[in-house]
Amino acid sequence: MVTEAVVELEGPSGRPKYDDLLSNPTSDAQAAGHMRASAVYKQKGDRFKLATQAFDRQYAHIYFQRLMLMKPPLLTKVRQKWPGVQLANILTLPENDEVLVVGTVYKDMKLKPSILDEYVKDRGASQLVGRTKFVGADDSIILEDESARMKLRGEGLPVGQLVTGVVMAVKGVAAPGGDFQVNAFCFADMAPQAPLPSLSEDKYVALVSGLGVGDDAADPLKLSLLVDYLVGSLASDEEQTRVSKIVRVVVAGGLLKSTEGLLQAITHKQPRQQAAALAPIREVDMCLSELAGAVPVEVMPGNNDPANHSLPQQPLHRCLFPLASSFTSFNRSPHLCQCNWYSDLLLLPAS
């Protein structure tokens, strides 16, 4: 005698027994769907868009301006930390007196590439094949202010952690030979932050990067699941409620695995070969158009994307996205994208 048994599959505690996507709506609100939340958004990234191409600009004026802006708050901090220590500039350092100097860090790295190495005839093997690292045990720190520069030395000086462009204050004594013996150092605190605006409900900005379309080893299902999730076609009703509060999707670079296919498409004469080479960018365009139909999208260029390599990287060309560009919710930005949410919240993503 055979007895037929009916077994009901119980889900996790607090969850329905069946998959939400395979069951009928549990309420009228669920059947009606979810409304996408919105937010007051102003794009202010035009200052990163270059009207002309100029290659004669140097970084010196940027470092000088940074020093002028960071010096007053840094002096306020060090005078509280080291009261009574005299402030001096590098050009007029007194001998045998402990003083305070504020300046910009320059890290001297012997292994750092130089354009002049290309014209040296007797180059070593490491210069010919390329180095695996640019830092070394013989790196040194130089401090520069408005008047001159000097080499810093001291056992407690974190040479490996410092980078060029950092504004710092050092306390110590001028040593024979022009070096400066550092006894203590200090950095400026974080700038005062404006209070966040109060919202009646939670709202989110989704940051996406590293899609890498065109990689033969990648799984295309992951990109499809991401798009379905962000447009609200995936997951449970609870998760869809959370997704409906995403007011903007920012794609911070990494759209393509490589731009070699776009370059090869120019040389191919056969239409079939051109179509195969352009397949990755067309797949990106289809995904972005689907996203832009449901939520505002901001696209920024990345390292392997078809944009200029000099900084700031300019917006990706409109011809790359014929489908997505037809949506007013689709926006192309430089690799730095400044935007204001409401009146007080500032967002500055960088790809």
Side-chain angles (χ1 to χ4, degrees), residues 19-246:
D19 189 345
D20 289 351
L21 298 179
L22 302 178
S23 60
N24 295 325
T26 58
S27 63
D28 296 338
Q30 182 178 352
H34 302 277
M35 293 296 296
R36 176 74 63 175
S38 61
V40 179
Y41 170 85
K42 292 182 179 180
Q43 171 61 259
K44 295 189 175 182
D46 291 340
R47 64 192 182 102
F48 301 114
K49 297 180 180 180
L50 302 180
T52 58
Q53 295 289 339
F55 301 99
D56 57 345
R57 300 174 183 174
Q58 300 296 320
Y59 292 102
H61 69 285
I62 299 179
Y63 291 147
F64 179 78
Q65 184 69 14
R66 182 187 300 166
L67 178 61
M68 294 297 99
L69 292 175
M70 297 293 294
K71 191 172 183 178
L74 183 55
L75 286 176
T76 302
K77 180 179 179 180
V78 298
R79 283 168 178 164
Q80 297 175 353
K81 187 176 182 179
W82 305 321
V85 181
Q86 179 185 359
L87 175 66
N89 57 44
I90 297 176
L91 196 59
T92 59
L93 280 178
E95 296 182 1
N96 302 323
D97 290 339
E98 189 177 54
V99 294
L100 166 69
V101 181
V102 178
T104 304
V105 169
Y106 172 75
K107 189 170 184 178
D108 186 16
M109 299 184 294
K110 304 299 183 184
L111 300 180
K112 185 175 67 173
S114 174
I115 188 62
L116 299 179
D117 294 338
E118 299 292 333
Y119 302 96
V120 177
K121 295 182 179 179
D122 300 330
R123 290 191 292 169
S126 61
Q127 294 177 321
L128 293 174
V129 302
R131 300 185 178 97
T132 58
K133 63 177 183 178
F134 301 146
V135 296
D138 57 348
D139 293 347
S140 59
I141 298 299
I142 297 174
L143 193 70
E144 181 179 351
D145 65 0
E146 307 94 319
S147 60
R149 55 169 49 186
M150 62 182 179
K151 185 177 181 180
L152 305 181
R153 68 183 189 185
E155 296 181 356
L157 194 64
V159 178
Q161 301 177 13
L162 294 174
V163 295
T164 298
V166 174
V167 177
M168 68 180 299
V170 293
K171 183 181 68 169
V173 181
D179 294 349
F180 190 81
Q181 181 66 36
V182 178
N183 301 327
F185 57 90
C186 181
F187 302 98
D189 293 329
M190 295 293 295
Q193 300 295 315
L196 296 177
S198 58
L199 303 177
S200 58
E201 60 177 342
D202 293 334
K203 295 182 180 181
Y204 306 98
V205 177
L207 299 176
V208 180
S209 182
L211 300 180
V213 179
D215 186 4
D216 296 335
D219 186 2
L221 180 60
K222 295 181 179 180
L223 179 59
S224 178
L225 290 175
L226 174 64
V227 174
D228 290 342
Y229 176 81
L230 292 176
V231 301
S233 301
L234 198 63
S236 63
D237 181 70
E238 178 183 355
E239 190 67 22
Q240 289 181 359
T241 303
R242 186 180 295 109
V243 172
S244 66
K245 298 180 181 180
I246 297 177

Side-chain angles (χ1 to χ4, degrees), residues 280-339:
I281 192 63
R282 289 176 177 173
E283 182 180 355
V284 170
D285 184 27
M286 292 179 60
C287 294
L288 293 178
S289 63
E290 187 175 352
L291 276 176
V295 58
V297 178
E298 197 91 25
V299 175
M300 306 161 62
N303 185 33
N304 294 326
D305 295 327
N308 58 302
H309 292 284
S310 58
L311 300 181
Q313 284 184 299
Q314 297 304 287
L316 297 171
H317 201 279
R318 187 181 186 276
C319 68
L320 298 174
F321 314 105
L323 298 178
S325 297
S326 61
F327 291 89
T328 57
S329 57
F330 179 77
N331 189 38
R332 299 169 292 108
S333 301
H335 88 286
L336 289 173
C337 174
Q338 180 179 347
C339 48

